[in-house]
Amino acid sequence: MRKTLISLALGSLSATAMLPAAISAQETSAETDAVYSVETTKVGVLLDDPEAAAILQRLIPTVYANDLFQTMGREQTLRAIQQYEPAALNDEKLAEIQAAFDELAAG
């Protein structure tokens, strides 16, 4: 009986330990299938996708060429970077970028 209880306890610990990995895999899969967002998607994710990076390079070439955007900006969203580049990343430009991301997801 004691071995059975220990076995059950260890079994549920194993399943619990695997849960974060399973959730992480689902989040990664969902993120790659999801529409990119200027509000929530980190720049690093966009730069790592050649199609999304091409959109940024085409629509905001000066921001895209900035070394800080390519390095320190990777952990921020385009909306967050707007405060540092208000002219290049104005609301109209962010809406244009979002529309391009939406087309990318639809295609």
Side-chain angles (χ1 to χ4, degrees), residues 6-64:
I6 292 171
S7 219
L8 287 173
L10 289 175
S12 64
L13 283 176
S14 298
T16 305
M18 292 180 354
L19 188 59
I23 291 171
S24 177
Q26 286 176 342
E27 289 172 352
T28 302
S29 174
E31 188 171 316
T32 57
D33 294 339
V35 175
Y36 293 134
S37 168
V38 298
E39 301 286 338
T40 60
T41 306
K42 291 184 179 182
V43 167
V45 172
L46 300 172
L47 293 175
D48 291 342
D49 178 336
E51 292 178 316
I55 290 170
L56 297 178
Q57 189 173 22
R58 178 172 47 90
L59 296 179
I60 51 171
T62 57
V63 174
Y64 183 86

